[in-house]
Amino acid sequence: MRILVTGGAGLIGSHLVDKLMEKEKSEVIVADNYFTGSKDNLKKWIGHPRFELIRHDISRPLFVEVDQIYHLACPASPIFYKYNSVKTIKTNVMGTLNMLGLAKRLRARILFTSTSEVYGDSLEHPQKETYWGNVNPIGVRSCYDEGKRMAETLMFDYHRQYGIEIRIARIFNTYGPRMNIDDGRVVSNFIAQAIRNEPLTVQLPGTQTRSFCYVLDLVDGLTQLMEGTDTGPINLGNPGEFTMNELAKAVQELINPEVQISEVENTPDDPRQRKPDITKAKEVLGWEPKVNLHEGIPLMEDDFRQRLGVPRT
Ligand SMILES: NC(=O)c1ccc[n+]([C@@H]2O[C@H](COP(=O)([O-])OP(=O)(O)OC[C@H]3O[C@@H](n4cnc5c(N)ncnc54)[C@H](O)[C@@H]3O)[C@@H](O)[C@H]2O)c1
Ligand SMILES: O=c1ccn([C@@H]2O[C@H](COP(=O)(O)OP(=O)(O)O[C@H]3OC[C@@H](O)[C@H](O)[C@H]3O)[C@@H](O)[C@H]2O)c(=O)[nH]1
């Protein structure tokens, strides 16, 4: 089995590669342009005979011979996906078209990592896969959420028109070791700030909620989805829901009780509530997350302390 992982140098991709490489007969090819990922995340595999790393931008065609495609490549942090929004659209739309073209030529099964952001500023709570979403098509987040929605459309059209075997995961906020320290997402921001003893920046109003999934749980869900029979979309996430005020308090308690919490301006169109309904994942895949936020934060703290060079006192 030869498997392509696009975006394999990023947070989720690199942990997925670790899991795929555990199987002795698997060969793994990673294609990544290192926009938000890093070779460091894959350093234990570089030089391994079953592993290959290609610097490649997936908005351009890629010619490789593989049996399965995990298509993850796309910046995930709002700061990075807004930085060059046109590029984010190209990555989502042209990148997914290129990967579907590859899947079509090879008759390979392809899994796409979509997002809870397809539900937008949801009017249903928690979010089920049947909900069509409440998305601003012209806002600053649209390059990402509408880009992912278009990519889901492409996946289903290739499935209906050409019989391509597709899998779609709708991933909810996922965190864990190897996250870029300056990634800009809330968990990495708060952990880095707590370690550096800088105020935790809660964006107003602070009552907005998210549900945080530990990366290794998420990776198990992805491989189970790929190996199962359901096309999806299937929500993958941890239903434990926290306000940003609660998250800041948890990080303060677990990492640095002295650290200040400061309120800062928010960005436009920030979804107010987000929590996955994972009934389908439980029924279809037998999957549910195991690591809760209070267990996951210290695991990420260890990794951040090591990279920041600040040991526990
Ligand atoms: N982590 C989350 O909370 C979350 C939630 C929902 C969906 N997702 C999706 O999961 C996937 C992985 O997310 P992540 O958290 O690991 O993000 P990440 O930013 O850590 O990793 C993304 C990877 O894709 C690469 N990449 C970006 N644009 C590319 C391009 N044009 N060509 C080739 N490589 C490119 C980056 O360099 C990086 O290695 C993304 O598709 C993201 O949208 C993540
Ligand atoms: O320093 C910060 C950063 C963020 N936040 C808040 O934390 C919440 C979460 O923000 P993040 O930037 O971590 O991520 P978001 O939930 O907006 O987007 C995320 O959701 C789904 C994925 O597809 C995206 O890849 C991911 O980034 C938001 O309400 C934001 O306002 C803070 O309070 N402080």
Side-chain angles (χ1 to χ4, degrees):
M1 178 73 78
R2 193 177 300 140
I3 305 165
L4 172 65
V5 181
T6 75
L11 166 70
I12 299 175
S14 64
H15 287 283
L16 173 65
V17 168
D18 289 351
K19 180 158 190 201
L20 297 175
M21 285 295 292
E22 279 167 16
K23 280 204 180 153
E24 283 202 359
K25 290 203 171 124
S26 296
E27 287 180 31
V28 176
I29 301 176
V30 165
D32 200 297
N33 69 352
Y34 311 122
F35 175 44
T36 53
S38 157
K39 282 187 206 167
D40 253 9
N41 293 336
L42 295 166
K43 62 179 176 236
K44 72 172 164 191
W45 302 118
I46 292 171
H48 192 289
R50 290 188 284 108
F51 180 76
E52 216 172 318
L53 181 57
I54 307 172
R55 179 188 287 268
H56 179 79
D57 186 322
I58 47 107
S59 60
R60 296 180 182 277
L62 175 67
F63 293 90
V64 287
E65 312 301 314
V66 293
D67 306 292
Q68 281 186 345
I69 302 167
Y70 283 90
H71 176 33
L72 280 68
C74 179
S77 163
I79 289 178
F80 284 93
Y81 71 60
K82 291 176 197 169
Y83 170 76
N84 184 344
S85 52
V86 173
K87 176 73 195 184
T88 301
I89 297 170
K90 287 184 183 170
T91 296
N92 274 315
V93 179
M94 293 157 70
T96 303
L97 265 173
N98 286 330
M99 288 308 111
L100 282 163
L102 183 66
K104 181 170 166 244
R105 176 172 69 81
L106 302 169
R107 307 308 295 175
R109 185 178 294 179
I110 176 168
L111 179 149
F112 174 64
T113 51
S114 185
T115 168
S116 51
E117 294 220 19
V118 299
Y119 302 122
D121 191 8
S122 181
L123 304 176
E124 263 188 25
H125 196 72
Q127 292 80 49
K128 286 196 192 72
E129 292 85 350
T130 46
Y131 179 53
W132 288 357
N134 178 38
V135 175
N136 175 358
I138 56 166
V140 292
R141 297 177 87 101
S142 314
C143 59
Y144 184 78
D145 50 33
E146 290 289 21
K148 292 279 187 182
R149 286 166 70 96
M150 175 50 74
E152 285 197 15
T153 307
L154 287 168
M155 293 283 289
F156 266 92
D157 280 328
Y158 268 70
H159 174 60
R160 283 186 288 254
Q161 201 167 326
Y162 302 117
I164 303 303
E165 285 192 60
I166 60 159
R167 303 287 183 267
I168 297 178
R170 288 191 181 147
I171 302 175
F172 284 64
N173 297 58
T174 296
Y175 68 98
R178 298 189 188 151
M179 240 171 145
N180 207 330
I181 288 177
D182 302 311
D183 179 277
R185 283 178 273 184
V186 68
V187 181
S188 48
N189 274 5
F190 285 1
I191 291 181
Q193 288 161 344
I195 293 172
R196 290 168 166 153
N197 203 25
E198 293 166 359
L200 310 186
T201 51
V202 173
Q203 293 177 351
L204 287 165
T207 49
Q208 71 272 34
T209 67
R210 293 294 187 274
S211 304
F212 299 102
C213 189
Y214 189 64
V215 67
L216 296 185
D217 280 338
L218 198 276
V219 162
D220 286 343
L222 289 181
T223 53
Q224 282 169 245
L225 175 61
M226 178 64 112
E227 298 309 327
T229 53
D230 200 286
T231 57
I234 294 192
N235 288 340
L236 294 178
N238 190 320
E241 185 184 6
F242 297 84
T243 67
M244 294 312 104
N245 289 328
E246 288 167 342
L247 175 69
K249 292 231 166 60
V251 170
Q252 192 184 42
E253 274 166 32
L254 288 165
I255 301 184
N256 180 356
E258 311 297 316
V259 76
Q260 303 286 308
I261 297 179
S262 72
E263 291 182 334
V264 298
E265 278 308 297
N266 205 334
T267 51
D269 294 342
D270 185 42
R272 283 166 291 186
Q273 272 190 311
R274 191 185 282 161
K275 169 181 169 155
D277 181 320
I278 58 164
T279 310
K280 191 172 172 188
K282 281 188 196 162
E283 282 174 8
V284 173
L285 307 176
W287 175 87
E288 62 183 313
K290 298 188 183 82
V291 180
N292 69 35
L293 189 64
H294 283 76
E295 295 162 335
I297 287 174
L299 298 172
M300 193 159 155
E301 181 192 354
D302 291 340
D303 170 63
F304 268 46
R305 283 195 182 279
Q306 204 180 355
R307 283 191 282 152
L308 287 168
V310 184
R312 277 196 174 80
T313 45

